[in-house]
């Protein structure tokens, strides 16, 4: 039994329990977040999601864009590959049709060269074709066997390499072999390693092509014969100043036509220079004159064409043509930097005709490398017969054409015709229309 003091000093169990209960509640309340704290945490999560979500969307959109771009690139590549195959197939078909047409025309032209088959005017040869058909061919006795290959090519359906063989002994006939020693009966056989008829056939029947040196030699002989056939008189040397060579030579030909053309040998004397013209002085004069002429009356990046300045006397162009012709006659030299169509018109007069293909090729050659590349690319696209040029090429074509005064927009259909018109104007317009 406790004393009263002891009982007073010790709390009762109920009071202890009562005191312990609120402390546990306080601890529990301190560990769990309050409603305000939960609200703030929720707001922080929302802010965090709002910060992350745009980046997530950006990455998602970027992946979608890259995937779409990859799909478009694959589609573009597939379309370009399909278009390329179609173009190649169409080009192959066109080439085959053109080759067939050229073959028909070539065979028809060759067939006209073998009108006689009776053997009265040459050697009569019987040729058996691969299908068993026999053909009789009459060729001149001084011909070579190339004419036999041409005869077989134009009188049969053969378009692949073939060979002509003798019967006894069996041997391949060389196209350069004379026909006089051949047998009357010959056999034709086809084979990939034999003679290609397209590379064998040329403009002459059984004739070897002339060498370039032979052509120049014949031209020189023709010029000498022409000079000898004319009546000339000996004249005095014409004095010119080297410092005023261009004006002096033009004045000389303006004031002394046609007497100056009747002088042979034509002689020149440079003022203040001691030299006797035995051909070298006048040759030097013409060469120096051509260089001065290029600077004043011609223009071009590579090949030159005549130009007309405002207020210029157009009759000077005729004088230049006379000087160029006279230089070739008396000294055999030509201004080689002038474009071929212009030079041909200078030498042969306005009656000369130049094909549009030569005009276009010469025009492209006369351009700079950059402009020539544009024209060649445009020509390639024009052959594809597209409705219009590519978007990156059109402004380049316009820039080149505008330099020649062309105002119309070029189209692939009329591109070659426009080029031909530009070339005709460029090479011929400044030249006189009458002799």
């Amino acid at each position: 039994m406790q004393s009263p003091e002891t009982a007073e000093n010790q709390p009762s169990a109920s009071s202890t329990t009562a005191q312990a209960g609120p402390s546990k509640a306080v601890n529990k309340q301190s560990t769990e977040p309050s409603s305000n704290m939960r609200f703030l945490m929720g707001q922080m999560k929302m802010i965090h999601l709002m910060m992350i979500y745009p980046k997530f969307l950006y990455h998602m959109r970027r992946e979608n864009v890259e995937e779409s771009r990859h799909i478009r690139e694959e589609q573009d590549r597939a379309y370009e590959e399909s278009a390329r195959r179609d173009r190649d197939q169409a080009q192959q078909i066109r080439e085959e049709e053109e080759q067939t047409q050229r073959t028909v025309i070539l065979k028809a032209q060759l067939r006209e060269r073998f009108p006689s088959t009776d053997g009265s005017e040459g050697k009569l040869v019987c040729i058996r074709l691969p299908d068993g058909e026999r053909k009789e061919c009459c060729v001149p006795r001084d011909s070579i066997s190339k004419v036999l290959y041409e005869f077989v090519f134009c009188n049969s359906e053969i378009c692949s390499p073939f060979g002509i063989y003798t019967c006894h002994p069996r041997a391949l006939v060389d196209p350069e072999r004379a026909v006089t020693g051949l047998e009357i009966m010959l056999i034709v056989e086809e084979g990939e390693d034999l003679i290609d008829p397209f590379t064998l056939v040329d403009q002459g029947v059984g004739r070897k092509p002339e060498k370039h040196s032979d052509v120049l030699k014949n031209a020189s002989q023709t010029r000498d014969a022409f000079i000898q056939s004319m009546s000339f008189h000996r004249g005095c040397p014409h004095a010119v100043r080297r410092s005023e060579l261009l004006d002096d030579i033009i004045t000389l030909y303006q004031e002394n036509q046609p007497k100056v053309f009747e002088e042979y040998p034509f002689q020149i004397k440079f003022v203040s220079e001691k030299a006797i013209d035995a051909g070298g002085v006048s040759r030097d004069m013409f060469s120096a004159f051509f260089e001065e002429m290029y600077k004043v009356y011609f223009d071009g990046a590579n090949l030159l064409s005549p130009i007309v300045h405002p207020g210029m006397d157009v009759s000077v162009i005729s004088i230049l043509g006379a000087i160029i012709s006279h230089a070739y006659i008396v000294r055999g030299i030509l201004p080689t930097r002038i474009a071929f169509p212009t030079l041909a018109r200078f030498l042969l007069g306005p009656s000369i005709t130049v094909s549009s293909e030569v005009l276009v090729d010469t025009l492209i050659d006369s351009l700079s490398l950059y402009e020539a590349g544009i024209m060649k690319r445009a020509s390639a696209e024009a052959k594809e017969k597209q409705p219009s040029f590519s978007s990156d090429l059109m402004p380049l074509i316009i820039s080149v054409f505008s330099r020649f005064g062309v105002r119309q927009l070029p189209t692939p259909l009329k591109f070659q015709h426009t080029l031909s018109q530009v070339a005709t104007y460029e090479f011929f317009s400044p030249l006189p229309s009458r002799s």
Side-chain angles (χ1 to χ4, degrees), residues 25-90:
V26 170
N27 292 335
K28 184 177 181 180
Q29 185 177 3
S30 62
T31 57
E32 295 181 359
S34 63
S35 59
N36 292 334
M37 183 64 68
R38 287 196 299 271
F39 176 76
L40 290 176
M41 293 177 64
Q43 292 293 323
M44 291 179 65
K45 290 181 179 180
M46 289 295 296
I47 293 173
H48 182 66
L49 289 175
M50 292 175 64
M51 293 175 63
I52 294 177
Y53 187 67
K55 296 182 179 180
F56 173 75
L57 287 180
Y58 170 76
H59 288 293
M60 288 293 295
R61 290 173 182 173
R62 184 174 180 180
E63 291 178 358
N64 292 335
V65 169
E66 291 180 354
E67 184 178 359
S68 300
R69 181 172 58 83
H70 180 70
I71 293 174
R72 285 196 301 271
E73 289 178 352
E74 291 291 336
Q75 292 175 345
D76 292 341
R77 280 195 292 268
Y79 174 78
E80 292 176 359
E81 181 66 20
S82 176
R84 185 188 63 79
R85 287 196 299 267
D86 293 341
R87 288 195 301 269
D88 294 343
Q89 184 177 2

Side-chain angles (χ1 to χ4, degrees), residues 102 105 144 190 227 262 313 343-344 357 381 395 398 407:
R102 285 196 299 267
I105 295 174
I144 59 177
E190 295 182 89
I227 292 176
E262 299 173 357
D313 186 5
L343 187 59
E357 292 80 4
E381 288 196 7
I398 294 175
R407 296 293 180 264

